[in-house]
Amino acid sequence: MKTFFKNIYLFSELNDSEFDAITALATTQRFAKHNVIVQEGEQGESLYIILEGSVKISTYSCDGREVILSLLEQGAIFGEMSLLDKRPRSANVTSLEATRVVQIRRKHFEQLLLKMPSLTIKLLTEVVSRLRRTSIILERISTMDVPHRLYSYLQDFCERFGELKDKQMRVQLPTHQLIADQLSTSRETISRAISSLKKEKIICPIPNSRSVCIDMDALETLLFSMQ
C-alpha cells in the first residue's frame, strides 16, 4: 500500500512517516462491475483512490439521460469535493469493471490536511483540474458539432491515457456508448464517426488487442481544418 501511495500525485512529496500515517488510516473495498460506489445526493464521508479498475463519474439530465462527466482509472481520486465543502455528493460514481478502491474517511483526512500543507495544496490543484476538465466537456457540447467534439475528445483522452510510440498513440478507447454519453450524442453517431476515422487510417485497430493506434498529427489536422 505504501508503494502505491508514493506513485500518486497527491501524496508524492510526503516523507516516510507521513506515508505511514496515511497507510494506517486507509481501508480497501472491492466492487463488482457496474456497482455504484458513490450515489449522487448522499453525504460525502470519504475520499476514494482507485487501486485497481476504472469508474465513470456521471449525473442525469432533466430528461433522464445519463451524462458522463469523466472516466477515471488506477491512481485517480474521487469524492474530494464533498470532503472539502461537506455538501452532498454532486455525481454518481460507478465501476466500469471489477474495481478496488482505497477509502480514507473525512475525519481522518481532515487531520492529515491540517498537518500536511503540501497535501492541501495538491488536493486543491486536483479539484481545480477536475473542474477545468468538466468545463471543457460542457463547452464542447454547447459549441461544437459532433465530429469536432469527438476529435477533441480523442485528443484529450490520448494525452491522459495513451502511450506514444512511433509518432502514434496507442490507447484502449472506451466503448462507443461511453463516448456518446460523454459527448451528449447517440452511440450510432459515434460509431459512424469512428468507422470513418478507421477508413481514413487515422484510427487503426491493433490485431489481437482491444487497443488502437491513433495518428495524432492527422487528428490535429482535422481539428485545425474545422476552425
Side-chain angles (χ1 to χ4, degrees), residues 34-202:
H34 299 324
N35 273 20
V36 176
I37 301 173
V38 166
Q39 181 77 50
E40 183 176 359
E42 70 182 10
Q43 286 301 120
E45 298 297 335
S46 299
L47 174 82
Y48 298 89
I49 308 165
I50 302 174
L51 192 60
E52 298 171 359
S54 58
V55 304
K56 65 177 178 180
I57 299 179
S58 65
T59 187
Y60 287 91
S61 63
C62 294
D63 61 4
R65 179 174 46 83
E66 184 180 32
V67 178
I68 296 179
L69 303 175
S70 185
L71 302 178
L72 302 178
E73 297 187 341
Q74 184 182 48
I77 296 165
F78 61 90
E80 74 285 349
M81 290 180 64
S82 289
L83 213 64
L84 290 172
D85 65 12
K86 299 183 181 180
R87 298 186 64 182
R89 299 291 192 187
S90 59
N92 303 298
V93 181
T94 308
S95 58
L96 294 172
E97 57 188 312
T99 297
R100 188 158 62 106
V101 299
V102 175
Q103 179 183 24
I104 303 177
R105 295 197 172 276
R106 179 207 300 278
K107 61 181 180 180
H108 297 141
F109 196 72
E110 285 179 341
Q111 295 171 9
L112 295 176
L113 294 178
L114 291 172
K115 294 177 182 178
M116 307 174 192
S118 62
L119 185 62
T120 304
I121 292 172
K122 284 195 170 186
L123 180 62
L124 292 174
T125 301
E126 177 67 22
V127 171
V128 171
S129 176
R130 194 78 55 82
L131 290 173
R132 285 185 185 277
R133 191 169 296 124
T134 300
S135 295
I136 290 171
I137 291 172
L138 294 175
E139 181 183 5
R140 287 173 184 159
I141 292 172
S142 62
T143 63
M144 298 178 180
D145 58 21
V146 173
H148 202 166
R149 285 182 228 166
L150 177 62
Y151 305 153
S152 182
Y153 172 85
L154 290 174
Q155 188 179 58
D156 176 64
F157 190 88
C158 286
E159 289 173 355
R160 291 174 61 201
F161 302 115
E163 178 185 1
L164 188 61
K165 188 174 183 180
D166 298 328
K167 296 184 179 181
Q168 289 197 327
M169 194 69 76
R170 179 171 180 157
V171 67
Q172 183 174 315
L173 293 176
T175 65
H176 292 183
Q177 185 63 63
L178 282 174
I179 295 175
D181 289 341
Q182 291 175 84
L183 300 183
S184 191
T185 187
S186 68
R187 181 185 62 79
E188 291 77 15
T189 300
I190 292 300
S191 295
R192 287 194 297 269
I194 289 180
S195 294
S196 178
L197 291 175
K198 288 179 178 178
K199 289 178 181 178
E200 297 174 23
K201 305 298 183 183
I202 295 174

